[in-house]
Amino acid sequence: MSVYTVIKAQPKPKPEVGEEGGPATTMSGPDGVDVVTFGCRLNAYESEAMRARAAADGLSDAVVFNTCAVTNEAVRQARQAIRKARRERPGARIIVTGCAAQIDPAAFAAMPEVDLVLGNAEKAAPGALVETTARVRVNDIMSVKETAGHLIDGLKDRARAYVEVQNGCDHRCTFCIIPYGRGNSRSAPAGEVVEQVRKLAAEGYREVVLTGVDVTSWGSDLPGQPTLGQLVGRILRMVPDLPRLRLSSIDAAEIDPDLLKLFAEEPRLMPYLHLSLQAGDDLILKRMKRRHNRTDALNLVASVRAVRPDVAFGADLIAGFPTESEEAFENTVRLVEEAGLAFLHVFPYSARPGTPAARMPPVKGPVIKDRARRLREAGQRGLERHLAAQVGRVLPGLVERDGLARAEDFTEIAFTGEAPAGQIVAFRVTGHDGARVIAERAA
């Protein structure tokens, strides 16, 4: 779950998947085409594919909005941005695509500012962005059986690249509308993924992140049903020149034995897992239709820590899910400390029309807001505990930009001195400021 990330052609570092807010920038080109992206890192990845497609198809003087449907606020922000774009660029072609357009194309087609509405399955197809005969082109996303054929050279910033290995989701959590925007789970073939990672390593990228809607389901639709652990192992074997491989958010119900073995034995697999937990109370998890309970989550954390003690964990958590009592909420707060979570993405519950949770008895808005605040405070305490434990250590960090690097366990490193972006440098941690560690280059 994530909101409002927009990409530039020369991108600055951006919030990771799931973070709320974030700087609004736009991917622009010399042809007058802007691609504005709301939502997750996967949307940003696909926006880069659309930008390349727009150039190949000769699109000019246009604004493409790649929307997100994870919250009502994400949809509202997209509509607001569309209206603003029309005022600022009255002659430009306005194209709307992404999850919100897939789920409710009629709402965007009804906006007088919009010239074309494209579904998620159509948005990167040759000629789709310059199509003029149909104002709405949105097909049944559930009929899509193959991964979109737009595997590109990865979404890149100056430090790392992102590779889409999977799209869609087979699960139907009661709060989530995303499967209706993305369709069922589809996996990219292992050979294509490995080849893409090999190219990125050859270009000099020191870190690659595997991303998707439900990454741990990778392989379930492929012949022989290979596992994510098998894919990761294959990448590491066949791309020996890649120093760092990282996973994006994973489902707390799924970590296969091969992946656990790699965490134990392969230092190039980064010791950080961001878990899609959503809650820490069993009754709420059941009402969310999650596939794990509280004990499962704690056992997963313990099993990974047992084989990789330096691992750090983050998590997505929802505050104020319908029917959530104060006791249930406190169970989620306690989970932050019990699991030793260091990096939280907290989401106030947002009812999505058409989902089962939207019909459940709601928690009052002020209560949701207060619980989100308290959960963020618990997350801040967890982060500060994690940062304090790093003081005095020497950490290898991937430099993201001047003065900022990222440790293997995802800790942000603020450093003095010069170091080139995209390089891995050793830093000695001297303190922290509550958000990141403070460090100097190690001799």
Side-chain angles (χ1 to χ4, degrees):
M1 300 175 66
S2 51
V3 232
Y4 326 133
T5 309
V6 187
I7 310 301
K8 259 193 179 296
Q10 298 295 325
K12 298 178 181 179
K14 302 166 287 295
E16 295 300 316
V17 172
E19 286 191 58
E20 295 180 87
T25 57
T26 303
M27 184 192 295
S28 303
D31 49 10
V33 176
D34 293 343
V35 182
V36 183
T37 308
F38 295 83
C40 62
R41 186 68 72 171
L42 183 58
N43 248 19
Y45 179 106
E46 293 172 342
S47 285
E48 187 159 304
M50 283 193 292
R51 184 69 192 86
R53 172 53 58 192
D57 288 344
L59 183 67
S60 61
D61 194 16
V63 185
V64 182
F65 290 89
N66 196 10
T67 62
C68 173
V70 73
T71 64
N72 290 326
E73 178 65 10
V75 177
R76 187 192 71 79
Q77 289 276 356
R79 293 174 64 88
Q80 182 182 57
I82 290 165
R83 289 190 287 266
K84 181 180 179 182
R86 176 57 74 206
R87 291 194 301 270
E88 294 180 348
R89 296 182 59 180
R93 183 169 170 79
I94 302 292
I95 301 169
V96 182
T97 186
C99 289
Q102 177 70 45
I103 291 166
D104 193 1
F108 290 98
M111 296 180 69
E113 297 87 356
V114 175
D115 296 301
L116 176 64
V117 181
L118 289 173
N120 268 334
E122 292 78 30
K123 63 186 180 184
L129 298 174
V130 295
E131 169 67 44
T132 58
T133 58
R135 188 162 179 264
V136 179
R137 296 183 61 221
V138 180
N139 292 328
D140 178 9
I141 196 68
M142 296 302 177
S143 68
V144 178
K145 303 301 182 185
E146 297 181 357
T147 304
H150 60 261
L151 283 172
I152 55 173
D153 289 337
L155 169 62
K156 307 168 189 174
D157 55 31
R158 288 183 294 174
R160 60 179 58 80
Y162 297 77
V163 173
E164 177 184 345
V165 301
Q166 180 274 341
N167 204 334
C169 185
D170 290 337
H171 314 304
R172 297 296 182 265
C173 298
T174 59
F175 57 83
C176 187
I177 198 72
I178 297 306
Y180 303 98
R182 288 286 179 179
N184 292 319
S185 182
R186 292 99 65 198
S187 305
E192 292 186 23
V193 174
V194 171
E195 183 58 28
Q196 192 177 13
V197 174
R198 182 184 287 115
K199 289 179 180 178
L200 291 164
E203 290 177 18
Y205 284 91
R206 314 293 287 167
E207 179 174 305
V208 170
V209 184
L210 303 184
T211 188
V213 175
D214 181 25
V215 173
T216 42
S217 71
W218 180 89
S220 60
D221 58 323
L222 296 177
Q225 296 188 321
T227 65
L228 178 63
Q230 290 170 343
L231 174 66
V232 170
R234 184 170 175 179
I235 292 170
L236 292 169
R237 286 193 309 274
M238 300 186 72
V239 193
D241 295 337
L242 178 69
R244 297 168 70 150
L245 184 66
R246 191 182 295 280
L247 301 176
S248 63
S249 179
I250 72 167
D251 196 313
E254 296 178 306
I255 184 166
D256 63 82
D258 291 310
L259 188 57
L260 187 62
K261 188 171 185 287
L262 287 167
F263 273 111
E265 300 176 355
E266 180 51 79
R268 292 186 296 149
L269 179 59
M270 293 297 93
Y272 176 70
L273 285 175
H274 191 88
L275 304 176
S276 179
L277 292 178
Q278 310 307 348
D281 178 82
D282 283 347
L283 180 58
I284 294 300
L285 287 166
K286 185 176 182 179
R287 288 173 176 167
M288 288 178 167
K289 207 175 177 181
R290 300 295 291 165
R291 294 176 302 135
H292 69 276
N293 59 29
R294 196 176 201 279
T295 300
D296 294 333
L298 290 171
N299 286 343
L300 182 149
V301 168
S303 66
V304 179
R305 278 210 176 99
V307 300
R308 190 75 174 267
D310 61 337
V311 71
F313 291 92
D316 294 335
L317 292 171
I318 296 174
F321 184 82
T323 77
E324 182 186 68
S325 64
E326 180 64 21
E327 180 183 2
F329 171 71
E330 287 293 341
N331 283 337
T332 297
V333 173
R334 283 194 294 272
L335 183 70
V336 176
E337 182 171 357
E338 290 176 30
L341 302 178
F343 304 96
L344 290 195
H345 295 164
V346 175
F347 299 89
Y349 173 74
S350 176
R352 301 302 290 122
T355 60
R359 301 190 295 272
M360 297 179 186
V363 175
K364 292 181 179 179
V367 176
I368 293 175
K369 183 177 180 180
D370 180 65
R371 288 179 181 172
R373 175 189 59 78
R374 290 159 60 193
L375 198 50
R376 290 190 182 102
E377 289 175 352
Q380 180 61 31
R381 292 191 295 271
L383 175 59
E384 290 181 7
R385 285 192 295 268
H386 172 76
L387 296 175
Q390 312 309 311
V391 177
R393 297 183 61 197
V394 174
L395 303 177
L398 179 68
V399 180
E400 296 183 341
R401 68 174 188 267
D402 291 344
L404 186 67
R406 188 78 64 170
E408 292 181 342
D409 67 1
F410 202 65
T411 303
E412 254 189 8
I413 302 170
F415 66 90
T416 56
E418 295 183 359
Q423 296 302 306
I424 297 173
V425 176
F427 297 98
R428 179 174 289 102
V429 179
T430 59
H432 73 86
D433 63 3
R436 58 190 64 82
V437 296
I438 308 301
E440 58 189 16
R441 290 194 63 167

